[in-house]
Amino acid sequence: MTINQSRNTTIDNSLITNRSEQCLERLAAFINIPAVALQPYKNECIVRQYNKGQVIYYSSDELTHVYYLIDGYILREHFNMNGDVYRLLNKDDQLFPMHNLFQDKTTNEMCTAITDCIMIAIPIELIEYLCRNNDKVFIRIYQLLCDNQRQQIEYHMALSSKSAKARVTKLLIYLCHMIGYDNDEFYEIKSFLTIQMISDLASISRETTGHIIQELKEHNILLKHHKNWIISKQISEL
């Protein structure tokens, strides 16, 4: 099964049962290690299914695992002491959360499946062990952490925009990079994305967000196709 085929596969228990070896191979390729090197730990890496709306972990949990998202989309909400919320959307081929590797295992984050998901739960101690004993894994994890930092900077830059239109526009560009699929002249984002979700991510009212989205539609920058969001790359020129 190819990655594109897996996106269109109905998630059920048979996929979990029959594809566990393939999921482990995906994980091995993602962290840049031979699949055979993970075989001694395959019983520690648990393939799990989460249904839409199911909470994967809570902010009060002491995390013992990181997760590799095989298929689906998740929402991560990070809370600080002042009650501020930092939201992230992730799609398949994402390892998370990584900010607590080699340090305190508590997190102020809640993760929720916003579509049906398949993922592997990997003990944090195993990832740390692999980093200490395999240069390629360490380099890969470092690259992923750098990618996360760049993504967070892009998100912060979108939120720092002075006008509501600029904030929504830059946020859409950020979402195209995070959860969109590149189709030459446009990006495609799956139908789970809603105006309310964009409003929450941009910290702008739903009404204002709706007006800006409608304006983008009128200028042929954005359209809906079978409920999916089609966003022209010309949005970066606004």
Side-chain angles (χ1 to χ4, degrees), residues 60-108:
S60 58
D61 289 346
E62 181 176 345
L63 287 183
T64 58
H65 292 73
V66 293
Y67 298 84
Y68 174 56
L69 184 58
I70 295 287
D71 188 87
Y73 297 82
I74 58 167
L75 171 66
R76 295 162 56 198
E77 299 174 282
H78 191 86
F79 304 86
N80 66 15
M81 296 297 293
N82 298 321
D84 300 318
V85 183
Y86 182 90
R87 296 180 175 92
L88 292 170
L89 290 174
N90 293 133
K91 65 175 182 178
D92 53 352
D93 283 331
Q94 180 75 28
L95 189 68
F96 67 94
M98 294 195 296
H99 58 268
N100 55 358
L101 289 175
F102 299 104
Q103 54 185 322
D104 187 10
K105 299 301 184 273
T106 59
T107 181
N108 294 319

Side-chain angles (χ1 to χ4, degrees), residues 115-150:
T115 67
D116 290 344
C117 293
I118 295 175
M119 60 185 71
I120 302 178
I122 310 127
I124 290 177
E125 291 181 355
L126 175 56
I127 293 291
E128 293 176 344
Y129 171 80
L130 293 173
C131 284
R132 291 188 182 102
N133 292 276
N134 189 301
D135 291 345
K136 291 184 178 180
V137 175
F138 174 79
I139 291 170
R140 177 59 173 157
I141 295 298
Y142 178 75
Q143 290 171 339
L144 293 172
L145 286 168
C146 290
D147 287 343
N148 283 347
Q149 184 181 39
R150 284 192 292 269

